Amino acid sequence: EVQLVQSGAEVKKPGESLKISCKDSGDSFSTYWIAWVRQMPGKGLEWMGIIYPGDSDTRYSPSFQGQVTISADKSISTAYLQWGSLKASDTALYYCARLRSWYLVYSYSYAMDVWGQGTTVTVSS
Amino acid sequence: EIVLTQSPGTLSLSPGERATLSCRASQSVSYSSLAWYQQRPGQAPRLLIYGSSSRATGIPDRFSGSGSGTDFTLTINRLEPEDFAVYYCQQYGSSLGTFGQGTKVEIK
């Protein structure tokens, strides 16, 4: 059974850097896209971007392009989300999720079927 | 970027009733690209429906999805206590995904 295990909660100051992780316990890490999703306090889900660990192909939502960096190390089945300089507005719960595909009639369907437990990031002076 | 608008924002119902949740896209989306998720308080989202109408593994058949083009619906028949939660629609296309703002199903 695939599980995505995320790193623990972080408390940081504005301007600090941070890298959080998402480890896949299964054996097919390189064959699925991994997505990162933000949930600000009391708010909905926001798509940040995806990475294909097999070749590190990365796609960002326009809202997050240039604000974060998504990466992966397939040798240890781990994806990462990092910030170079945190802001208070980065305070949120961050989820990683596996983007799986199913072949339906004449097309592929993609959806996130396995989720990590979430990593809370708090940025405060 | 495709914008998804969910309605209503909050749905107040009693256990045993039927819930009908709407998701409208700002432009036509492929039926295969629309999914629904459930999020209970303090938990990660859970995939309910992919491809507009296919139930994910382990999802009870009281959950059903339908729709095409710009209008999609999630129906929950005979609400159980554990179904009171927030529901999100999501679309994926051209390597970019977007979520609706969510519909909260609360106990009346």
Side-chain angles (χ1 to χ4, degrees), chain A residues 33 37 39 43-47 50 59-63 93 95 99-100 102 104-118, chain B residues 1 30-35 37 39 42-47 49-52 54 56-57 88 90-92 94-101:
Chain A
W33 291 85
V37 175
Q39 188 166 39
K43 302 299 184 183
L45 305 174
E46 299 175 89
W47 179 286
I50 54 174
R59 315 288 175 88
Y60 294 93
S61 165
S63 300
L93 178 57
Y95 292 104
L99 187 66
R100 181 184 164 179
W102 294 262
L104 303 179
V105 180
Y106 304 125
S107 64
Y108 282 92
S109 175
Y110 290 87
M112 292 170 283
D113 69 330
V114 177
W115 291 69
Q117 82 277 19
Chain B
E1 182 176 312
S30 168
Y31 82 97
S32 64
S33 70
L34 201 287
Y37 300 85
Q39 187 176 33
Q43 295 187 15
R46 177 174 72 142
L47 177 66
I49 301 286
Y50 63 91
S52 300
S54 297
T57 303
Y88 296 94
Q90 176 249 318
Q91 70 81 35
Y92 176 78
S94 301
S95 302
L96 177 64
T98 52
F99 288 94
Q101 82 278 19

